Amino acid sequence: MQNFFVRSMSKAFIATLLSTITSIAIAAPLAAMDDYDWVVMETPVDPATYKYDCPNDYKYETYDALQNCLYNLREDADNALSKQWGISDKVVRERNAIFIKVANRKNPLVFVDYSSPYEEDFNPYYSLQDYDKSRKLLTIHQRFYEGESLTVVNLTTGFWQDFSLRKLSISPDMRYIVGFESEMGATEHVNILERQDSGYYEGYYKQVYSSSDDSKNYDSHKKFYQADKAQQVYDSETFTWINDDKFYADSFYKLNEAAFRVRYTFIKNTSMNKWQLYEGSR
């Protein structure tokens, strides 16, 4: 996961970065230097770089030997996070499986990696991603060929649910879950799901950019920042809840060693019972 932090930058440096953007003819005015929210990118750290190095299968005589290396690597990574979060008594990985003790269940939840020597490009695997200590919500990530998914487990109640989304974020009142599309080619699409009486976030699946007005606002905002001349940093997006009915969705675009942020605000119109998309911060 990529981390970002805002850092003040000299106008001379920003001007140099902006000079790398080629001017394009668009109807909307282009962003001026002071319009950009610049961030400096940290070097990404692989959370699973512990004792082992097994990215290349040619180093191993057999497929089983490679899998053993991967099991050791993922076991170290997940158990280190579980210990860091203070839940090692409830969450543990043993080789290719994550075991989670939850309330109201005699046996633990088990998430098992799939592996096959005949489907090496597929082989999905699980990993711990995040833990919300205040609400006792554990997020588990599953990566597979051309996609990914997330599972949220409530360690207090034992409730859990799978989501075909990335970067899940839950509203303060836990009524809504928002996330980015996980399919390749749809990385910028935001979806909003509402909790039903059953407790599941289902039956309300809204692709926010489906309307023509939202698409127009979304595209014009990107053009204003000339984002098509920069490289979007995959998996860097963030959600920030302001209250139960308002949140920010931020994407980042890279130029040289720095990146700029493009922000959208989503506000729930209670009278229309509809989420509305706005450019920038509101």
Side-chain angles (χ1 to χ4, degrees), residues 63-83:
Y63 179 81
D64 288 341
L66 171 62
Q67 289 305 306
N68 284 332
C69 181
L70 292 172
Y71 293 158
N72 287 331
L73 183 145
R74 294 168 187 165
E75 184 176 292
D76 282 356
D78 285 339
N79 288 336
L81 286 175
S82 180
K83 183 178 180 180

Side-chain angles (χ1 to χ4, degrees), residues 96-231:
N96 65 330
I98 297 175
F99 298 87
I100 303 175
K101 296 179 182 177
V102 295
N104 305 320
R105 288 181 64 98
K106 180 179 180 180
N107 297 318
L109 298 176
V110 183
F111 298 87
V112 183
D113 298 342
Y114 174 86
S115 64
S116 169
Y118 308 106
E119 302 177 272
E120 293 187 37
D121 291 334
F122 177 68
N123 289 359
Y125 66 92
Y126 292 97
S127 59
L128 302 185
Q129 184 177 84
D130 187 48
Y131 180 60
D132 184 336
K133 184 177 181 179
S134 63
R135 296 189 281 190
K136 303 295 188 294
L137 298 177
L138 176 68
T139 302
I140 302 172
H141 178 268
Q142 185 184 33
R143 183 175 299 280
F144 48 88
Y145 183 67
E146 293 190 347
E148 54 191 299
S149 65
L150 295 172
T151 301
V152 176
V153 181
N154 189 317
L155 298 185
T156 301
T157 66
F159 178 87
W160 63 281
Q161 185 177 354
D162 294 327
F163 299 91
S164 298
L165 297 169
R166 296 184 302 108
K167 294 297 188 72
L168 287 183
S169 184
I170 305 175
S171 62
D173 61 0
M174 298 183 66
R175 181 180 177 184
Y176 296 102
I177 280 183
V178 298
F180 291 96
E181 286 277 2
S182 61
E183 294 182 7
M184 293 184 66
T187 59
E188 297 170 317
H189 293 174
V190 175
N191 287 268
I192 302 174
L193 295 88
E194 186 175 17
R195 188 176 59 194
Q196 306 299 300
D197 293 339
S198 63
Y200 286 92
Y201 293 85
E202 60 182 18
Y204 180 92
Y205 192 85
K206 176 178 176 58
Q207 184 169 304
V208 173
Y209 303 141
S210 58
S211 73
S212 59
D213 287 340
D214 283 346
S215 295
K216 186 183 298 182
N217 290 338
Y218 177 69
D219 291 338
S220 65
H221 198 44
K222 285 179 62 179
K223 288 181 179 178
F224 177 75
Y225 287 104
Q226 304 171 80
D228 62 330
K229 298 300 179 182
Q231 177 185 2

Side-chain angles (χ1 to χ4, degrees), residues 224-264:
F224 177 75
Y225 287 104
Q226 304 171 80
D228 62 330
K229 298 300 179 182
Q231 177 185 2
Q232 184 185 12
V233 185
Y234 179 77
D235 206 34
S236 67
E237 305 96 327
T238 60
F239 291 109
T240 305
W241 285 92
I242 306 304
N243 53 50
D244 294 333
D245 300 314
K246 178 181 177 181
F247 65 90
Y248 296 142
D250 295 330
S251 297
F252 298 86
Y253 296 83
K254 184 179 179 181
L255 286 174
N256 297 333
E257 297 304 317
F260 60 88
R261 182 189 69 195
V262 177
R263 167 169 287 178
Y264 300 88

